[in-house]
Amino acid sequence: MKVGGQPMRTLWPAPQRDALMVIDQRALPHALRIERLESAEAVEVAIREMWVRGAPLIGATAAYGIALQMNRDAGDASLDAAAKWLARARPTAVNLAWALRRMTEALRPVAVADRARVAWDLADAIAEADVETNAAIGRHGLALLQAIAQRKPGAPVQVLTHCNAGWLATVDWGTATAPIYQAQAAGIDVHVWVDETRPRNQGASLTAWELGQAGVAHTLIADNAGGHLMQRGEVDIVIVGCDRVSARGDVCNKIGTYLKALAAQDNGVPFYVAMPISTLDPALDDGAAIPIEERGAREVTHIAGVDAAGALVEVRLTPEGTAAANPAFDVTPARFITGLITERGLVNAEAGALRRLIEQAP
Amino acid sequence: MKVGGQPMRTLWPAPQRDALMVIDQRALPHALRIERLESAEAVEVAIREMWVRGAPLIGATAAYGIALQMNRDAGDASLDAAAKWLARARPTAVNLAWALRRMTEALRPVAVADRARVAWDLADAIAEADVETNAAIGRHGLALLQAIAQRKPGAPVQVLTHCNAGWLATVDWGTATAPIYQAQAAGIDVHVWVDETRPRNQGASLTAWELGQAGVAHTLIADNAGGHLMQRGEVDIVIVGCDRVSARGDVCNKIGTYLKALAAQDNGVPFYVAMPISTLDPALDDGAAIPIEERGAREVTHIAGVDAAGALVEVRLTPEGTAAANPAFDVTPARFITGLITERGLVNAEAGALRRLIEQAP
């Protein structure tokens, strides 16, 4: 997508293949900070500390982490060790394990001398595939928005989204935002309700920023407000991303997604999940078994923003020493999900449909 | 309740009856600021700008506003004018209109020369009645917590609450917190999940502060997390306050309450609303007709806290110029409410039960 009118991706390999360039998303929306990661250890930190975040982007970033490790030491022990500690950087998203498995399975049969080159080629291919996947999700989701637009001529299509499943969560296009960008390109009048997404505020800092850069009409709301807007008929469709989807269609996504799904069902608002097939975990049936990352209390008790002078300042919101719990994800049971928007089309959140989807996949 | 071990209320008349003393709650939890309000205009500002907030406290504060106005000019025109613009300070809570109506109806038959004295006496009576009401709500709610404690010996009773329906929202005791304080006094092991309550963070700044001052175990959570905790069985009961309850039992309360009610129903968690009978609006059947206050965008895009040096700083969380919507309340339909905890006992959220409640009221 574009930043200040210039095309940009969330990551790209340095031309010499000696580093990975990423946007340090912690500085957004106040500054666009590009960082150069020169080792797999640096990649691990960038994933763990959420310089990069979003299930698809985490996968692509980790693939480049393996490529950087192969530059230094392409032996089996080095490969296995890097894959092991990169996998532990974030516990919930399945794309991380998926990308690392693809890298290690592809590299093991390759001669050690060739592994670095093959690793960079494969990481590039994973990144390109993510872009294509999201473009395809956008085309399939576009049909949903077109149908709504036809039902209410002269009025904007009102989309609600949670967290950032935008291009910043992927290599490009985004998952939940891809249909929105395609709708914009198709001349559809679309307006997005952007959930703030406490405690890390990815909606306020990332989704609002990228929609603003793209010129898509949007309004920020507190996470508390979405149910009220649905009661008032001001939401036509909810589209969110996902971090892991179970074999029967339970969707693990950013904490608070479940509450919006409940409100959507209570108000007859269609609730869609944009899901690259790589986010499906066929080994896991019940979404309640997905491990939920518990993050630090400080993300709840403190927050950073810019003061009147433009300086980035962290402030404490609570009494000193207040305890806080910070589960980062929740699981929305399949029964609340109208459909999954995949790169191969719309799919029901249901075991049989998801099994057929995997069997058809190339 | 106690602050730093000393008993304190949220408001009290100055001994000379020439001013109302209030806690300016905007400075909490970082500073305890006591302000002296010397006119009805100052009271109106304190209500509108939320130095004081919470439906019961707004009512008592407005009553003292009328008393201050009677000090200056006790004529009919003065009385009616003050009641009119005090009523417009906040549009949603019914207690404001209720307290002003009680004051004007009681004062009109009184000789002008006596009105100031009668007004102060009546404002005192309204404040005392609030304290008694909340204590009674606490006793009736205590029975619910005792029953839970008996079912799970050795484990804490887990209460989730939203916003601040604590003693800071009333003259003393609080509504939703009154059963919690009574449980603490009765030696019940109780732990409170405190919803942060964006955008004004009344949970993080007020409820966490007052529970901390009282020594009640509590953990702050993002508003997004409550549904997940209920799915995991970590919430035994939800107790919230209310700003207006319709004749059929629809509950208007702080934005986001509806989402928690949906999650409670989906997970079989009892959802109770602490309701002083003065919060009931028998003139209104459908809660969807309650006017919802739309507050400024800046409450969503900016936030204040203390920096590392202890200075209060306001920071911007969003890209510059981001539009935000800020509905301050939502309406939870009666079908999601297990029961209303009133000063006269538990009542079903249902038209017949609420009609009988009003008919029985003295």
Side-chain angles (χ1 to χ4, degrees):
Chain A
M1 302 302 297
K2 287 183 178 175
V3 176
Q6 297 301 311
M8 180 171 275
R9 287 185 171 181
T10 51
L11 55 65
W12 60 97
Q16 303 299 321
R17 290 189 153 182
D18 57 351
L20 175 67
M21 311 301 293
V22 300
I23 301 174
D24 178 356
Q25 300 189 22
R26 297 171 308 167
L28 289 173
H30 310 298
L32 179 66
R33 193 183 292 162
I34 311 292
E35 293 288 349
R36 182 180 165 90
L37 308 177
E38 300 187 344
S39 68
E41 286 83 356
V43 164
E44 193 272 341
V45 169
I47 294 171
R48 179 161 41 83
E49 305 273 338
M50 298 180 70
W51 306 17
V52 296
R53 21 66 55 204
L57 179 55
I58 288 172
T61 306
Y64 282 109
I66 294 291
L68 282 164
Q69 181 75 2
M70 295 300 95
N71 280 5
R72 191 167 57 188
D73 174 357
D76 283 355
S78 163
L79 174 62
D80 290 342
K84 198 165 168 184
W85 45 257
L86 279 165
R88 284 198 294 249
R90 296 286 304 279
T92 301
V94 76
N95 306 56
L96 178 57
W98 172 88
L100 291 168
R101 197 169 54 240
R102 263 198 76 181
M103 293 296 288
T104 49
E105 285 175 3
L107 291 173
R108 211 179 305 277
V110 172
V112 169
D114 295 332
R115 278 186 184 168
R117 181 183 51 76
V118 173
W120 284 94
D121 287 348
L122 183 53
D124 286 347
I126 287 174
E128 286 305 323
D130 178 60
V131 178
E132 283 164 34
T133 292
N134 299 334
I137 287 173
R139 288 191 297 274
H140 295 298
L142 172 61
L144 297 171
L145 302 186
Q146 276 170 329
I148 295 166
Q150 280 162 12
R151 281 205 318 266
K152 47 185 291 196
V157 176
Q158 302 274 13
V159 182
L160 184 143
T161 193
H162 189 68
C163 196
N164 176 265
W167 74 262
L168 290 170
T170 65
V171 179
D172 209 346
W173 282 108
T175 54
T177 54
I180 294 164
Y181 292 129
Q182 299 252 5
Q184 181 193 32
I188 293 173
D189 183 10
V190 60
H191 170 266
V192 183
W193 297 107
V194 177
D195 270 2
E196 175 181 49
T197 319
R198 288 283 293 148
R200 287 184 65 93
N201 283 40
Q202 293 96 332
S205 58
L206 303 180
T207 304
W209 181 80
E210 68 164 87
L211 293 176
Q213 292 290 333
V216 174
H218 62 283
T219 304
L220 182 67
I221 51 172
D223 300 303
N224 284 323
H228 173 70
L229 292 175
M230 292 187 218
Q231 288 178 310
R232 297 264 159 136
E234 296 188 47
V235 179
D236 295 314
I237 185 170
V238 180
I239 310 179
V240 298
C242 52
D243 291 80
R244 194 186 297 207
V245 177
S246 82
R248 72 183 190 195
D250 299 335
V251 169
C252 180
N253 190 45
K254 181 58 50 192
I255 190 79
T257 301
Y258 166 55
L259 295 171
K260 295 304 143 63
L262 288 164
Q265 186 175 71
D266 193 45
N267 293 283
V269 174
F271 187 92
Y272 281 92
V273 177
M275 181 194 80
I277 296 171
S278 61
T279 307
L280 189 59
D281 184 355
L284 202 143
D285 190 49
D286 181 354
I290 295 171
I292 300 296
E293 179 178 5
E294 176 74 29
R295 297 185 59 85
R298 200 178 174 90
E299 289 186 354
V300 182
T301 57
H302 291 63
I303 199 165
V306 291
D307 67 11
L312 194 67
V313 180
E314 188 192 53
V315 295
R316 173 166 50 81
L317 303 171
T318 60
E320 221 160 340
T322 296
N326 186 12
F329 302 92
D330 63 22
V331 175
T332 300
R335 69 183 185 278
F336 295 106
I337 295 161
T338 311
L340 304 163
I341 313 172
T342 80
E343 62 267 40
R344 300 169 72 88
L346 297 184
V347 175
N348 287 338
E350 177 267 311
L354 289 171
R355 207 178 316 112
R356 287 190 294 279
L357 182 74
I358 295 175
E359 285 163 5
Q360 287 164 10
Chain B
M1 302 301 297
K2 289 187 176 173
V3 176
Q6 296 302 310
M8 180 171 275
R9 287 185 171 182
T10 51
L11 54 66
W12 60 97
Q16 302 300 320
R17 290 189 155 182
D18 57 351
L20 175 67
M21 311 301 292
V22 300
I23 300 174
D24 178 356
Q25 300 189 21
R26 297 172 307 168
L28 288 173
H30 309 298
L32 179 66
R33 194 184 291 161
I34 311 292
E35 293 288 349
R36 182 181 165 90
L37 308 177
E38 300 187 344
S39 68
E41 286 83 356
V43 165
E44 193 272 341
V45 169
I47 295 172
R48 180 161 41 82
E49 305 273 342
M50 298 180 68
W51 305 16
V52 296
R53 21 67 53 204
L57 179 56
I58 289 172
T61 306
Y64 282 109
I66 293 291
L68 282 164
Q69 181 75 2
M70 295 301 94
N71 280 6
R72 189 167 58 189
D73 174 356
D76 283 355
S78 162
L79 175 62
D80 290 341
K84 198 166 168 182
W85 46 256
L86 279 165
R88 283 198 296 250
R90 295 286 304 278
T92 301
V94 77
N95 306 56
L96 178 57
W98 172 88
L100 291 167
R101 196 170 54 243
R102 264 198 76 181
M103 293 296 287
T104 49
E105 285 175 3
L107 292 172
R108 211 180 306 277
V110 172
V112 170
D114 295 332
R115 278 187 183 167
R117 181 183 51 76
V118 172
W120 284 94
D121 288 348
L122 183 54
D124 286 347
I126 287 175
E128 287 305 323
D130 178 60
V131 178
E132 283 164 34
T133 292
N134 300 334
I137 287 173
R139 288 190 297 273
H140 295 299
L142 171 61
L144 297 171
L145 302 186
Q146 276 170 328
I148 295 167
Q150 281 161 12
R151 281 205 318 267
K152 47 185 291 199
V157 176
Q158 301 274 12
V159 182
L160 184 143
T161 193
H162 189 68
C163 197
N164 176 265
W167 74 261
L168 290 169
T170 65
V171 179
D172 209 347
W173 282 108
T175 55
T177 54
I180 294 165
Y181 292 128
Q182 300 251 5
Q184 182 193 32
I188 293 173
D189 183 10
V190 60
H191 170 265
V192 183
W193 297 108
V194 177
D195 270 2
E196 174 180 50
T197 319
R198 287 283 292 148
R200 286 183 66 93
N201 282 42
Q202 293 96 331
S205 56
L206 303 180
T207 304
W209 181 80
E210 67 164 87
L211 293 176
Q213 292 290 333
V216 174
H218 62 283
T219 304
L220 181 67
I221 51 173
D223 300 303
N224 284 323
H228 173 69
L229 292 175
M230 292 188 219
Q231 288 178 310
R232 298 265 160 136
E234 297 188 45
V235 179
D236 295 313
I237 185 171
V238 180
I239 311 180
V240 298
C242 52
D243 291 79
R244 194 184 298 207
V245 177
S246 82
R248 73 182 190 196
D250 299 335
V251 168
C252 181
N253 190 45
K254 181 59 52 193
I255 191 79
T257 301
Y258 166 55
L259 294 170
K260 295 304 143 63
L262 288 164
Q265 186 176 71
D266 194 45
N267 294 285
V269 174
F271 187 93
Y272 282 92
V273 177
M275 181 194 80
I277 296 171
S278 61
T279 308
L280 189 60
D281 184 356
L284 203 143
D285 190 51
D286 181 355
I290 295 172
I292 300 297
E293 178 178 6
E294 176 74 28
R295 297 186 59 85
R298 199 177 175 91
E299 289 186 353
V300 183
T301 58
H302 291 62
I303 198 165
V306 291
D307 67 11
L312 194 67
V313 180
E314 188 192 54
V315 296
R316 173 167 49 81
L317 303 171
T318 60
E320 221 160 339
T322 295
N326 186 12
F329 302 91
D330 63 22
V331 175
T332 300
R335 68 182 185 278
F336 294 105
I337 295 161
T338 311
L340 304 163
I341 313 172
T342 80
E343 63 268 38
R344 299 168 71 88
L346 297 185
V347 175
N348 286 338
E350 178 268 309
L354 289 171
R355 207 178 316 112
R356 286 190 294 279
L357 182 74
I358 295 174
E359 286 163 5
Q360 288 163 9

